[in-house]
Amino acid sequence: MTINLSKGQRIDLTKTNPGLTRVVVGLGWDTNKYSGGSDFDLDASAFLLYEDGKAKTEADFVFYNNLTTYNGAVTHTGDNRTGEGDGDDEQIVIDFSKVPASISRIGITVTIHDADARGQNFGQVSAAFVRVVNEDNSSEILRFDLGEEFSTETAVVFCEFYRQGTDWKFQAIGSGFSGGLAALCQNYGLPV
């Protein structure tokens, strides 16, 4: 049974799902119909963060040009350039058993590619969601629908997974940024 979360809510993933080691993080969205003339290309990314909330190297950043890190601890399944169709538009697979002990959080984000040049922002995106699925049995554990609260933002932190002792937890974030991927990289300590 899926648990629906609201912004800011947290849930214990591994304690309430014994044996859970691999999850599929499904991200989806639709774009509002408007006459901007350019297709939307939204991109999911994962930032692997240390205790200080920062990534240290490019190995701590998984996206369409770096699909996997730490021997498969986090894997991006590939870039969807149109967002067409129902269901997940992009997916990131996390294997908690392979995440290095030095990593305390994993931030899951979505940005709009070339947003400034195309005059696009999350105010033109609707029905955005993140869901977490147990990869072993394909059952959906939780879902967070982001709502329509964004206007000029070009990047959004959808959620974070965080370690507490030996357990992994999930937090619904829904925090927007202007400045796209560059702003997120700076926020997470990576040079642009």
Side-chain angles (χ1 to χ4, degrees), residues 72-114:
V74 179
T75 303
H76 192 302
T77 62
D79 189 15
N80 175 342
R81 295 187 175 195
T82 65
E84 294 295 317
D86 293 331
D88 300 340
D89 290 308
E90 293 192 10
Q91 294 180 330
I92 295 172
V93 179
I94 300 174
D95 186 336
F96 295 120
S97 68
K98 293 183 177 180
V99 176
S102 56
I103 300 297
S104 62
R105 291 183 171 273
I106 302 170
I108 305 295
T109 68
V110 176
T111 56
I112 302 173
H113 184 70
D114 284 340

Side-chain angles (χ1 to χ4, degrees), residues 45-63 66 68-70 72-75 92 94-95 98-100 102-108 161 163 168 188 190:
S45 303
F47 290 87
L48 286 78
L49 309 172
Y50 292 77
E51 194 62 40
D52 64 359
K54 304 293 183 189
K56 303 294 183 203
T57 70
E58 289 182 19
D60 300 326
F61 177 40
V62 175
F63 68 115
N66 181 35
T68 192
T69 193
Y70 298 114
V74 179
T75 303
I92 295 172
I94 300 174
D95 186 336
K98 293 183 177 180
V99 176
S102 56
I103 300 297
S104 62
R105 291 183 171 273
I106 302 170
I108 305 295
F161 295 86
R163 194 189 304 259
W168 281 93
Y188 286 128
L190 292 176

Side-chain angles (χ1 to χ4, degrees), residues 3 18 27 39 43 67-68 97 105 121 142 145 149 152 155 162:
I3 298 171
L27 301 128
D39 289 336
D43 297 312
L67 293 176
T68 192
S97 68
R105 291 183 171 273
N121 57 57
L142 64 86
D145 293 303
E149 63 193 63
T152 61
Y162 62 99

Side-chain angles (χ1 to χ4, degrees), residues 5-9 144-146 149-150 171-176:
L5 299 178
S6 299
K7 184 175 179 170
Q9 281 189 299
F144 169 44
D145 293 303
L146 271 71
E149 63 193 63
F150 303 106
Q171 181 175 8
I173 304 280
S175 177

Side-chain angles (χ1 to χ4, degrees), residues 1 10 20 23 42 67 76 84 94 111 115 144 153 156 158 185-186:
M1 186 164 133
R10 301 170 187 251
L20 180 69
V23 295
L42 277 68
L67 293 176
H76 192 302
E84 294 295 317
I94 300 174
T111 56
F144 169 44
E153 296 86 351
V156 175
F158 275 42
C185 286
Q186 288 173 336

